[in-house]
Amino acid sequence: MRYILPIALAFTSFASAVELRHITVRTGTEGLDRVPLTISNAGREALSCNADFAHWYSATVATAAPGKSARVELWFDPKTGTFAILNDKRENLPVERLWCGLAGQAYATRVQIALDRASAQKGQVNVRCSSADDKLACR
């Protein structure tokens, strides 16, 4: 009896459990406001800044050597309050979370970068990050 369920699942089509439907991906910048993000590294270690685009996907969007700055082109949709980054096909990748950490240990030392409507209304976001004792602070 305990083998019946695993055997039955082995012969079941997993494709039938997935609903496939067309998804329209927004492209371009029409209706979006440009909000460049500048990240200044005031620390002694390199930074790696990443964006979470979905609960399962993140990517490095900028790196900054000590004493240097990096710039990320963000786009803001005033109707939805969503920030996005464009990929190489100009598709809008909605940013769920933006964070920076010390290079080589970015996830373990990560600090979230706040993105909000007030930032978008200013037309730019400027963040200064510094590190001490393997901890990062970004403001």
Side-chain angles (χ1 to χ4, degrees):
M1 188 69 171
R2 69 180 208 201
Y3 297 109
I4 293 174
L5 182 58
I7 291 170
L9 289 174
F11 291 105
T12 303
S13 171
F14 290 106
S16 65
V18 176
E19 178 185 343
L20 300 176
R21 58 188 168 94
H22 178 73
I23 297 173
T24 303
V25 177
R26 183 176 183 170
T27 58
T29 60
E30 185 175 332
L32 303 177
D33 298 331
R34 187 173 160 271
V35 184
L37 165 66
T38 302
I39 302 162
S40 301
N41 184 355
R44 294 186 302 241
E45 297 182 55
L47 293 179
S48 175
C49 298
N50 302 273
D52 294 339
F53 297 112
H55 65 277
W56 49 267
Y57 178 71
S58 65
T60 300
V61 295
T63 57
K68 302 292 182 181
S69 295
R71 187 177 170 117
V72 178
E73 291 297 320
L74 293 175
W75 296 89
F76 180 73
D77 184 339
K79 291 181 182 175
T80 65
T82 303
F83 282 87
I85 292 177
L86 302 182
N87 67 10
D88 59 340
K89 297 174 189 169
R90 298 190 47 82
E91 295 170 330
N92 289 210
L93 303 176
V95 176
E96 287 185 2
R97 195 174 303 99
L98 186 67
W99 51 274
C100 294
L102 300 175
Q105 54 183 339
Y107 190 79
T109 59
R110 71 191 179 281
V111 174
Q112 187 167 329
I113 307 299
L115 298 174
D116 55 25
R117 286 186 180 272
S119 302
Q121 290 173 344
K122 292 178 191 172
Q124 64 182 6
V125 179
N126 295 306
V127 176
R128 183 177 181 271
C129 296
S130 58
S131 60
D133 300 324
D134 290 331
K135 294 189 181 204
L136 185 65
C138 297
R139 293 175 178 67

